[in-house]
Amino acid sequence: MPDSKPLSLRIPEPGCRPGDQPDFSDFVVPRAGEARRPDTDASPEDMRDMAFSIIRVINKKGEAVGPWADTLSVENLRDGLRHMLTLRAFDERMLKAQRQGKTSFYMQHLGEEAVACAFRMALEEGDMNFPTYRQAGLLIAGGYPLVDMMNQIYSNAEDPLKGRQLPIMYSSREHGFFTISGNLGTQFIQAVGWGMASAIAGDTRIASAWIGDGATSESDFYAAMVFASTYNAPVILNIVNNQWAISTFQGFARGNAVTFAERGHGFGIPSLRVDGNDYLAVHAVAKWAADRARAGLGPTLIEHVTYRAGGHSTSDDPSAYRSKDEFSAWPLGDPIDRLKRHLITLGEWSEERHTQALAEITETVRTAQKKAEAIGTLISGSHPSPRSMFDDVYAEMPPHLVAQRQAGGY
Amino acid sequence: MARMTMIEAIRSAHDLAMQRDEKVVVFGEDVGYFGGVFRCTAGLQEKYGKHRCFDAPINESGIVGAAIGMAAYGLKPVVEIQFADYVYPAYDQIVSEAARMRHRSAGQFTCPMVIRMPTGGGIFGGQTHSQSPEALFTHVSGVKVVVPSSPYDARGLLLSAIEDPDPVIFLEPKRLYNGPFDGHHDRPVTAWKKHPLGEVPEDYDTIPLGKASVRRKGSDVTVLAYGTMVYVAEAAADETGIDAEIIDLRSLMPLDVEAITASVQKTGRCVIVHEATRTSGFGAELSATVQESCFYHLEAPILRVAGWDTPYPHAQEWAYFPGPERVAAALKDVMEA
């Protein structure tokens, strides 16, 4: 008989479940301003420490401190606050519209608004994002019309995607927003290919890849990492670590064993970890990575540390698997509150201005909603013709599709 | 005109396409410096540079996924999967992404790319160097599927595939790379240089996708085949003396229903031949199509000769491969029915 005990599996468990008191005491929050800022041409080996800490700019007093604090003007910050408020107001109304049965589905960004909104501001015209379903901030900060977003959500006659896609699977080439797919991780490697193409063509444009913490377990995450590194592709590889993949905590993607940023080291990719609820930090890190990519210095991996405050989607009830109080205990706070406080600290904002801005934004979103709903929602108004579902399968409709369209009576 | 093997014809198509359009980019495992394990891309890196033809990490999903990104950017990637048996890791990228990009983005993003892969058996390739996965692609809306059977067709069809605005799965029967093969494994093999279809034009000359070719005119029975099976069917027709009309489909998607219908309505009989396994193989789609469009002309049930519904074996190669004897038996059966 061998002298061995029976083996057993580890099944990771999150720190707290429904009814438990949230406890983030193990989560180390470095002080704002503490992280160093390497030169963009620094070698990956000389900045390995950056993957273990968190780059933060806004401190507890609302001041912007440290070497990452200088990338945005006050005007930029006010715009950023407006973008985040707009996204949150948009989410609220679309969530409600789904509950009212005006559309089939919605996914909100609550608590993650800074990530995409701040990132977008570091990009230039012509750059291309390969987003997941939780980066609508890229569209809002990029000036994409709210009415078009809602038309897509309602699948009405003005839906830019002609009713073919599930709500929120937006697409806008013009706004550097690649068509969203329901299949997780697929776009991460496509972004690398887009960046490679830009390099092959001798272009100056760069690509941004997006993935969540859970989807880093998908094979295409590794495909993207090895291709980006091998070809020194001009791409920013963004991991949005919001702690949760539907009901599965990040431990199942091994988020508690090592940081997500650390995974870049295995491929020789410089990797930064940033406070995803700190608008200034996200922007500064994005700018650093964009400068690096544009200078031909290759890919950067960024782990945005944040928290998914809302349900995964309108089909999800998070109270079934996590504590209701988790977001209020989350050490990195609320991105909107933090930027607002910073602007007030600077003397460039006030509670009055905030209330007024919020009222204006709410009105803008409401007006857009009325406009979209006047065209149609999923259950009322006008919709794309069934005839159009046969279009765009191929550039030119092959005979068998023409026959099917006719057989269907369209 | 020049004499070429199928390998040389494929290489020539790459060469012409790369010369003509600087957006054409070629990559895959061992494709660059080495020129491919089957030599289909030999010399291209030297001629066009490392930016146009390069080696890739061993990751099929990565190869196809990166190519999709490149196509979305505006390049025309022509990528190679070393064996069709190894395309499965890329299946998600092909089905969920390449095939649907135009449709789901309402034409904002498109995917003009070619995915080449050696396919088929008859080479003692065993389980993972012999498969014919075409039905896994013909079932996917949004991709085109092409299978050439000669150097002439391979060159013309590949040039069309590269020009095509949609993603094309280009399956190359590796058994036909160096010469035609009729299934008589005990006889010496002819090289393409001694075969009329080894003669190909040297200039830019395309063959349209979606058009079948009538390889042998006949009046008794229509044989629908593609790839290696075209030569097997020819041998079976010669050996039985049955006046079979052999149609090489060339494109499985889009399918030349017109050519199929015209032939079966003339002969009244139909035998379908493919290497791939029988159940839910492409033959089932062909059979259903013939049944729907030629029902009142049929004088016998439609027969299928296909690979058995087993994984592709090694030692039992010739018991598995649908050779001329099995096709001949089907031709006789359909004539007697």
Side-chain angles (χ1 to χ4, degrees), chain A residues 160 164-165 171-173 179-181 183 186 189-190 193-194 196 203 205 220 223 227 231 389 391-392 394-395 400, chain B residues 55-57 59 61-62 65-66 69-70 72-73 75 92-93 96-97 102-104 106 108-109 142-143 165-166 253:
Chain A
R164 294 174 191 156
Q165 276 272 48
S171 174
S172 177
R173 177 183 272 277
T179 159
I180 296 177
S181 165
N183 296 64
T186 50
I189 173 67
Q190 292 164 5
W194 198 98
M196 288 169 68
D203 199 346
R205 296 182 286 161
D220 279 343
F227 274 67
Y231 300 110
M389 80 184 153
D391 294 334
D392 297 328
Y394 298 91
H400 72 286
Chain B
D55 292 310
N59 188 316
S61 184
M70 291 181 189
Y73 174 92
L75 297 187
D92 190 27
Q93 288 287 349
S96 313
E97 303 293 324
R102 180 188 296 277
H103 193 256
R104 79 168 192 236
Q108 286 177 9
F109 295 95
V143 294
D166 294 310
M253 175 57 66

Side-chain angles (χ1 to χ4, degrees), chain A residues 88-284:
Chain A
R88 190 166 290 185
F90 185 91
D91 274 350
E92 279 169 16
R93 296 208 73 88
M94 290 298 101
L95 193 65
K96 198 176 283 173
Q98 191 277 338
R99 297 299 186 219
Q100 291 166 339
K102 291 174 182 171
T103 184
S104 62
F105 183 73
Y106 190 69
M107 297 178 101
Q108 54 177 341
H109 307 76
L110 192 64
E112 298 178 40
E113 291 90 346
V115 175
C117 288
F119 189 91
R120 178 62 182 79
M121 217 179 259
L123 295 181
E124 286 176 15
E125 177 101 20
D127 294 340
M128 185 63 73
N129 284 286
F130 287 72
T132 76
Y133 46 68
R134 224 185 292 279
Q135 275 88 48
L138 295 169
L139 284 174
I140 286 179
Y144 188 72
L146 298 179
V147 181
D148 286 345
M149 292 173 76
M150 289 169 174
N151 289 340
Q152 197 281 326
I153 289 165
Y154 289 139
S155 285
N156 65 23
E158 298 292 320
D159 173 2
L161 307 182
K162 303 181 181 178
R164 294 174 191 156
Q165 276 272 48
L166 198 67
I168 67 123
M169 303 284 185
Y170 314 106
S171 174
S172 177
R173 177 183 272 277
E174 202 189 325
H175 292 81
F177 193 95
F178 188 71
T179 159
I180 296 177
S181 165
N183 296 64
L184 297 185
T186 50
Q187 78 290 341
F188 215 57
I189 173 67
Q190 292 164 5
V192 176
W194 198 98
M196 288 169 68
S198 181
I200 289 168
D203 199 346
T204 58
R205 296 182 286 161
I206 63 169
S208 297
W210 293 88
I211 203 165
D213 48 290
T216 61
S217 306
E218 292 280 5
S219 307
D220 279 343
F221 173 72
Y222 298 93
M225 298 290 277
V226 72
F227 274 67
S229 177
T230 298
Y231 300 110
N232 206 39
V235 59
I236 306 172
L237 303 158
N238 295 285
I239 301 170
V240 182
N241 175 10
N242 68 12
Q243 318 298 316
W244 290 94
I246 308 186
S247 73
T248 311
F249 87 115
Q250 49 138 321
F252 277 86
R254 303 313 295 130
N256 284 2
V258 293
T259 68
F260 288 95
E262 210 179 327
R263 286 154 217 214
H265 293 165
F267 297 89
I269 297 174
S271 306
L272 306 174
R273 205 159 175 249
V274 63
D275 178 345
N277 292 11
D278 182 333
Y279 187 93
L280 281 84
V282 171
H283 180 268

Side-chain angles (χ1 to χ4, degrees), chain B residues 239-283:
Chain B
E239 286 154 25
T240 54
I242 292 170
D243 188 21
E245 177 147 296
I246 297 169
I247 298 186
D248 177 357
L249 298 171
R250 300 201 289 201
S251 287
L252 308 188
M253 175 57 66
L255 184 65
D256 193 347
V257 176
E258 220 169 288
I260 295 169
T261 306
S263 178
V264 178
Q265 288 186 350
K266 181 179 75 179
T267 61
R269 290 178 166 84
C270 181
V271 172
I272 295 157
V273 193
H274 60 57
E275 283 185 67
T277 51
R278 179 183 173 96
T279 301
S280 302
F282 191 62

Side-chain angles (χ1 to χ4, degrees), chain B residues 142-201:
Chain B
V143 294
K144 294 181 177 173
V145 181
V146 177
V147 191
S149 66
S150 68
Y152 182 90
D153 281 5
R155 191 169 172 281
L157 289 167
L158 183 53
L159 287 172
S160 283
I162 296 172
E163 267 184 21
D164 199 274
D166 294 310
V168 180
I169 308 290
F170 198 83
L171 293 150
E172 301 164 0
K174 57 189 159 307
R175 178 69 237 207
L176 302 180
Y177 268 160
N178 292 303
F181 179 67
D182 63 8
H184 285 296
H185 52 92
D186 46 352
R187 297 181 193 165
V189 177
T190 327
W192 281 118
K193 63 181 179 203
K194 291 183 183 160
H195 193 281
L197 288 167
E199 190 161 301
V200 301

Side-chain angles (χ1 to χ4, degrees), chain B residues 21-42:
Chain B
D21 184 354
E22 63 176 15
K23 291 194 178 81
V24 176
V25 173
V26 175
F27 67 101
E29 294 158 20
D30 305 297
V31 157
Y33 181 84
F34 180 55
V37 295
F38 290 107
R39 318 306 302 147
C40 289
T41 55

